[in-house]
Amino acid sequence: MGNPGMTDGRLATRDSLLTVSEMLNSGECEPAKAAVHGLLMATVALCAAYNTAAWIKRRQTHLAINAIVYSAAIWWERCHVVHHLRACPEDTSAAPRPKLMDAA
């Protein structure tokens, strides 16, 4: 009788951890990594917009500092998104077809 948590003699949770570990390797799942950084970039952009608007209204120093830090984080996350997208393998299926010669 087998253990429901076992797969080929290994724990199922260990298999999923190995998958995550492999995903973290350079060149693996780059579109997913870019999407995560894109989500973070959207989040810090929202934080930057809020802190900038709050600073314009209240003129408190900590809001200005927050707005500057979050604005820098937008740039930082953008760099990560670009890095991951550049590491994506080229899609050869979208290559342009050669033009057909006129047979007439």
Side-chain angles (χ1 to χ4, degrees):
M1 181 160 54
N3 187 345
M6 300 287 281
T7 306
D8 294 340
R10 292 179 292 180
L11 288 175
T13 56
R14 181 173 172 157
D15 288 343
S16 65
L17 289 175
L18 291 174
T19 303
V20 170
S21 177
E22 291 171 359
M23 184 188 90
L24 297 175
N25 291 336
S26 183
E28 298 290 328
C29 300
E30 294 298 326
K33 293 175 190 176
V36 169
H37 283 287
L39 180 63
L40 291 172
M41 186 171 67
T43 302
V44 296
L46 182 63
C47 293
Y50 167 78
N51 280 280
T52 301
W55 176 78
I56 290 170
K57 181 160 176 76
R58 300 192 309 236
R59 301 291 179 177
Q60 294 174 339
T61 305
H62 76 279
L63 295 171
I65 293 169
N66 287 350
I68 291 168
V69 169
Y70 283 124
S71 296
I74 295 169
W75 172 80
W76 182 261
E77 290 301 329
R78 182 198 171 279
C79 290
H80 284 287
V81 170
V82 169
H83 166 76
H84 288 300
L85 290 178
R86 285 185 180 158
C88 290
E90 292 291 323
D91 185 17
T92 57
S93 65
R97 294 182 183 174
K99 293 185 179 182
L100 297 176
M101 297 185 71
D102 190 15

mmCIF file of all heavy atoms in Angstrom, residues 75-100:
data_model
loop_
_atom_site.group_PDB
_atom_site.id
_atom_site.type_symbol
_atom_site.label_atom_id
_atom_site.label_comp_id
_atom_site.label_asym_id
_atom_site.label_seq_id
_atom_site.Cartn_x
_atom_site.Cartn_y
_atom_site.Cartn_z
ATOM 1 N N TRP A 75 11.990 52.850 -11.611
ATOM 2 C CA TRP A 75 13.122 52.697 -12.537
ATOM 3 C C TRP A 75 13.823 51.352 -12.301
ATOM 4 O O TRP A 75 14.156 50.629 -13.243
ATOM 5 C CB TRP A 75 14.102 53.856 -12.363
ATOM 6 C CG TRP A 75 15.369 53.669 -13.130
ATOM 7 C CD1 TRP A 75 15.573 53.885 -14.456
ATOM 8 C CD2 TRP A 75 16.604 53.167 -12.608
ATOM 9 N NE1 TRP A 75 16.860 53.558 -14.792
ATOM 10 C CE2 TRP A 75 17.517 53.130 -13.673
ATOM 11 C CE3 TRP A 75 17.024 52.778 -11.346
ATOM 12 C CZ2 TRP A 75 18.823 52.695 -13.512
ATOM 13 C CZ3 TRP A 75 18.332 52.349 -11.189
ATOM 14 C CH2 TRP A 75 19.208 52.309 -12.264
ATOM 15 N N TRP A 76 14.038 51.002 -11.023
ATOM 16 C CA TRP A 76 14.704 49.758 -10.652
ATOM 17 C C TRP A 76 13.938 48.543 -11.184
ATOM 18 O O TRP A 76 14.530 47.638 -11.785
ATOM 19 C CB TRP A 76 14.826 49.698 -9.134
ATOM 20 C CG TRP A 76 15.523 48.492 -8.594
ATOM 21 C CD1 TRP A 76 14.932 47.384 -8.086
ATOM 22 C CD2 TRP A 76 16.931 48.277 -8.507
ATOM 23 N NE1 TRP A 76 15.889 46.489 -7.686
ATOM 24 C CE2 TRP A 76 17.123 47.007 -7.931
ATOM 25 C CE3 TRP A 76 18.042 49.033 -8.868
ATOM 26 C CZ2 TRP A 76 18.379 46.481 -7.698
ATOM 27 C CZ3 TRP A 76 19.296 48.502 -8.636
ATOM 28 C CH2 TRP A 76 19.451 47.255 -8.058
ATOM 29 N N GLU A 77 12.635 48.530 -10.979
ATOM 30 C CA GLU A 77 11.822 47.406 -11.450
ATOM 31 C C GLU A 77 11.766 47.363 -12.969
ATOM 32 O O GLU A 77 11.750 46.296 -13.566
ATOM 33 C CB GLU A 77 10.420 47.458 -10.854
ATOM 34 C CG GLU A 77 10.379 47.149 -9.375
ATOM 35 C CD GLU A 77 10.920 45.775 -9.023
ATOM 36 O OE1 GLU A 77 10.809 44.834 -9.837
ATOM 37 O OE2 GLU A 77 11.456 45.635 -7.915
ATOM 38 N N ARG A 78 11.742 48.519 -13.617
ATOM 39 C CA ARG A 78 11.760 48.564 -15.080
ATOM 40 C C ARG A 78 13.027 47.902 -15.612
ATOM 41 O O ARG A 78 12.988 47.151 -16.580
ATOM 42 C CB ARG A 78 11.673 50.000 -15.580
ATOM 43 C CG ARG A 78 11.637 50.090 -17.091
ATOM 44 C CD ARG A 78 11.985 51.493 -17.588
ATOM 45 N NE ARG A 78 12.157 51.501 -19.016
ATOM 46 C CZ ARG A 78 13.270 51.117 -19.652
ATOM 47 N NH1 ARG A 78 14.307 50.680 -18.984
ATOM 48 N NH2 ARG A 78 13.348 51.161 -20.969
ATOM 49 N N CYS A 79 14.150 48.176 -14.953
ATOM 50 C CA CYS A 79 15.411 47.549 -15.362
ATOM 51 C C CYS A 79 15.325 46.027 -15.256
ATOM 52 O O CYS A 79 15.826 45.308 -16.121
ATOM 53 C CB CYS A 79 16.560 48.068 -14.508
ATOM 54 S SG CYS A 79 16.990 49.782 -14.837
ATOM 55 N N HIS A 80 14.676 45.532 -14.210
ATOM 56 C CA HIS A 80 14.522 44.091 -14.048
ATOM 57 C C HIS A 80 13.604 43.507 -15.117
ATOM 58 O O HIS A 80 13.888 42.426 -15.652
ATOM 59 C CB HIS A 80 13.973 43.759 -12.657
ATOM 60 C CG HIS A 80 14.993 43.874 -11.576
ATOM 61 N ND1 HIS A 80 15.994 42.977 -11.399
ATOM 62 C CD2 HIS A 80 15.160 44.813 -10.623
ATOM 63 C CE1 HIS A 80 16.739 43.330 -10.380
ATOM 64 N NE2 HIS A 80 16.257 44.457 -9.893
ATOM 65 N N VAL A 81 12.521 44.194 -15.433
ATOM 66 C CA VAL A 81 11.602 43.711 -16.473
ATOM 67 C C VAL A 81 12.348 43.615 -17.807
ATOM 68 O O VAL A 81 12.277 42.588 -18.498
ATOM 69 C CB VAL A 81 10.363 44.629 -16.601
ATOM 70 C CG1 VAL A 81 9.545 44.273 -17.837
ATOM 71 C CG2 VAL A 81 9.505 44.533 -15.347
ATOM 72 N N VAL A 82 13.079 44.662 -18.160
ATOM 73 C CA VAL A 82 13.819 44.668 -19.426
ATOM 74 C C VAL A 82 14.853 43.546 -19.434
ATOM 75 O O VAL A 82 15.011 42.833 -20.441
ATOM 76 C CB VAL A 82 14.477 46.049 -19.652
ATOM 77 C CG1 VAL A 82 15.470 46.012 -20.798
ATOM 78 C CG2 VAL A 82 13.414 47.103 -19.899
ATOM 79 N N HIS A 83 15.549 43.359 -18.324
ATOM 80 C CA HIS A 83 16.556 42.296 -18.228
ATOM 81 C C HIS A 83 15.927 40.919 -18.482
ATOM 82 O O HIS A 83 16.473 40.121 -19.252
ATOM 83 C CB HIS A 83 17.211 42.333 -16.844
ATOM 84 C CG HIS A 83 18.007 41.113 -16.522
ATOM 85 N ND1 HIS A 83 19.245 40.878 -17.058
ATOM 86 C CD2 HIS A 83 17.724 40.045 -15.733
ATOM 87 C CE1 HIS A 83 19.707 39.715 -16.605
ATOM 88 N NE2 HIS A 83 18.793 39.198 -15.794
ATOM 89 N N HIS A 84 14.805 40.649 -17.855
ATOM 90 C CA HIS A 84 14.160 39.341 -18.021
ATOM 91 C C HIS A 84 13.593 39.171 -19.426
ATOM 92 O O HIS A 84 13.638 38.071 -19.982
ATOM 93 C CB HIS A 84 13.076 39.130 -16.968
ATOM 94 C CG HIS A 84 13.631 38.897 -15.598
ATOM 95 N ND1 HIS A 84 14.458 37.844 -15.288
ATOM 96 C CD2 HIS A 84 13.486 39.591 -14.444
ATOM 97 C CE1 HIS A 84 14.793 37.893 -14.017
ATOM 98 N NE2 HIS A 84 14.213 38.945 -13.480
ATOM 99 N N LEU A 85 13.058 40.225 -20.006
ATOM 100 C CA LEU A 85 12.527 40.107 -21.366
ATOM 101 C C LEU A 85 13.638 39.901 -22.386
ATOM 102 O O LEU A 85 13.464 39.180 -23.370
ATOM 103 C CB LEU A 85 11.691 41.339 -21.716
ATOM 104 C CG LEU A 85 10.366 41.454 -20.965
ATOM 105 C CD1 LEU A 85 9.648 42.739 -21.362
ATOM 106 C CD2 LEU A 85 9.478 40.245 -21.204
ATOM 107 N N ARG A 86 14.785 40.512 -22.157
ATOM 108 C CA ARG A 86 15.916 40.295 -23.069
ATOM 109 C C ARG A 86 16.450 38.875 -22.965
ATOM 110 O O ARG A 86 17.037 38.364 -23.911
ATOM 111 C CB ARG A 86 17.040 41.288 -22.779
ATOM 112 C CG ARG A 86 16.729 42.665 -23.282
ATOM 113 C CD ARG A 86 17.896 43.593 -23.085
ATOM 114 N NE ARG A 86 17.561 44.913 -23.594
ATOM 115 C CZ ARG A 86 18.163 46.015 -23.222
ATOM 116 N NH1 ARG A 86 19.128 45.980 -22.324
ATOM 117 N NH2 ARG A 86 17.800 47.174 -23.721
ATOM 118 N N ALA A 87 16.290 38.252 -21.814
ATOM 119 C CA ALA A 87 16.777 36.884 -21.615
ATOM 120 C C ALA A 87 15.821 35.836 -22.189
ATOM 121 O O ALA A 87 16.162 34.658 -22.216
ATOM 122 C CB ALA A 87 16.995 36.624 -20.127
ATOM 123 N N CYS A 88 14.656 36.267 -22.647
ATOM 124 C CA CYS A 88 13.697 35.318 -23.231
ATOM 125 C C CYS A 88 14.259 34.769 -24.539
ATOM 126 O O CYS A 88 14.868 35.498 -25.314
ATOM 127 C CB CYS A 88 12.359 36.002 -23.523
ATOM 128 S SG CYS A 88 11.431 36.429 -22.062
ATOM 129 N N PRO A 89 14.048 33.479 -24.791
ATOM 130 C CA PRO A 89 14.518 32.911 -26.060
ATOM 131 C C PRO A 89 13.757 33.514 -27.234
ATOM 132 O O PRO A 89 12.594 33.884 -27.107
ATOM 133 C CB PRO A 89 14.244 31.416 -25.920
ATOM 134 C CG PRO A 89 13.231 31.300 -24.842
ATOM 135 C CD PRO A 89 13.381 32.507 -23.956
ATOM 136 N N GLU A 90 14.433 33.596 -28.344
ATOM 137 C CA GLU A 90 13.814 34.137 -29.553
ATOM 138 C C GLU A 90 12.727 33.190 -30.046
ATOM 139 O O GLU A 90 12.900 31.979 -30.038
ATOM 140 C CB GLU A 90 14.863 34.317 -30.657
ATOM 141 C CG GLU A 90 15.880 35.395 -30.345
ATOM 142 C CD GLU A 90 15.267 36.779 -30.362
ATOM 143 O OE1 GLU A 90 14.387 37.036 -31.199
ATOM 144 O OE2 GLU A 90 15.671 37.597 -29.522
ATOM 145 N N ASP A 91 11.617 33.743 -30.495
ATOM 146 C CA ASP A 91 10.527 32.950 -31.039
ATOM 147 C C ASP A 91 10.747 32.815 -32.538
ATOM 148 O O ASP A 91 10.558 33.769 -33.290
ATOM 149 C CB ASP A 91 9.184 33.609 -30.734
ATOM 150 C CG ASP A 91 8.011 32.759 -31.175
ATOM 151 O OD1 ASP A 91 8.219 31.550 -31.406
ATOM 152 O OD2 ASP A 91 6.902 33.297 -31.273
ATOM 153 N N THR A 92 11.152 31.638 -32.970
ATOM 154 C CA THR A 92 11.447 31.441 -34.392
ATOM 155 C C THR A 92 10.197 31.229 -35.229
ATOM 156 O O THR A 92 10.241 31.336 -36.434
ATOM 157 C CB THR A 92 12.390 30.233 -34.576
ATOM 158 O OG1 THR A 92 11.772 29.086 -33.997
ATOM 159 C CG2 THR A 92 13.735 30.489 -33.918
ATOM 160 N N SER A 93 9.062 30.933 -34.586
ATOM 161 C CA SER A 93 7.836 30.704 -35.357
ATOM 162 C C SER A 93 7.282 32.004 -35.938
ATOM 163 O O SER A 93 6.520 31.970 -36.888
ATOM 164 C CB SER A 93 6.775 30.031 -34.495
ATOM 165 O OG SER A 93 6.378 30.897 -33.448
ATOM 166 N N ALA A 94 7.681 33.132 -35.401
ATOM 167 C CA ALA A 94 7.177 34.413 -35.884
ATOM 168 C C ALA A 94 8.116 35.032 -36.921
ATOM 169 O O ALA A 94 7.966 36.188 -37.270
ATOM 170 C CB ALA A 94 6.987 35.373 -34.714
ATOM 171 N N ALA A 95 9.086 34.256 -37.396
ATOM 172 C CA ALA A 95 10.024 34.777 -38.382
ATOM 173 C C ALA A 95 9.291 35.077 -39.685
ATOM 174 O O ALA A 95 8.401 34.324 -40.092
ATOM 175 C CB ALA A 95 11.145 33.773 -38.625
ATOM 176 N N PRO A 96 9.652 36.170 -40.353
ATOM 177 C CA PRO A 96 8.968 36.496 -41.613
ATOM 178 C C PRO A 96 9.270 35.450 -42.682
ATOM 179 O O PRO A 96 10.362 34.918 -42.764
ATOM 180 C CB PRO A 96 9.546 37.854 -41.994
ATOM 181 C CG PRO A 96 10.817 37.973 -41.238
ATOM 182 C CD PRO A 96 10.677 37.132 -40.007
ATOM 183 N N ARG A 97 8.250 35.160 -43.462
ATOM 184 C CA ARG A 97 8.410 34.193 -44.547
ATOM 185 C C ARG A 97 9.098 34.868 -45.724
ATOM 186 O O ARG A 97 8.869 36.044 -45.998
ATOM 187 C CB ARG A 97 7.053 33.681 -44.999
ATOM 188 C CG ARG A 97 6.339 32.884 -43.966
ATOM 189 C CD ARG A 97 5.036 32.394 -44.534
ATOM 190 N NE ARG A 97 4.272 31.667 -43.546
ATOM 191 C CZ ARG A 97 3.063 31.226 -43.745
ATOM 192 N NH1 ARG A 97 2.457 31.457 -44.891
ATOM 193 N NH2 ARG A 97 2.433 30.561 -42.800
ATOM 194 N N PRO A 98 9.897 34.103 -46.462
ATOM 195 C CA PRO A 98 10.485 34.697 -47.666
ATOM 196 C C PRO A 98 9.403 34.964 -48.694
ATOM 197 O O PRO A 98 8.429 34.219 -48.790
ATOM 198 C CB PRO A 98 11.480 33.619 -48.142
ATOM 199 C CG PRO A 98 11.048 32.361 -47.480
ATOM 200 C CD PRO A 98 10.331 32.751 -46.224
ATOM 201 N N LYS A 99 9.574 36.031 -49.433
ATOM 202 C CA LYS A 99 8.574 36.366 -50.444
ATOM 203 C C LYS A 99 8.610 35.346 -51.577
ATOM 204 O O LYS A 99 9.655 34.906 -52.007
ATOM 205 C CB LYS A 99 8.849 37.760 -50.989
ATOM 206 C CG LYS A 99 8.630 38.828 -49.956
ATOM 207 C CD LYS A 99 8.797 40.200 -50.550
ATOM 208 C CE LYS A 99 8.543 41.240 -49.513
ATOM 209 N NZ LYS A 99 8.643 42.587 -50.029
ATOM 210 N N LEU A 100 7.430 34.958 -52.025
ATOM 211 C CA LEU A 100 7.339 34.020 -53.124
ATOM 212 C C LEU A 100 7.614 34.745 -54.436
ATOM 213 O O LEU A 100 7.188 35.869 -54.649
ATOM 214 C CB LEU A 100 5.944 33.396 -53.161
ATOM 215 C CG LEU A 100 5.556 32.563 -51.948
ATOM 216 C CD1 LEU A 100 4.112 32.102 -52.092
ATOM 217 C CD2 LEU A 100 6.480 31.373 -51.827
#
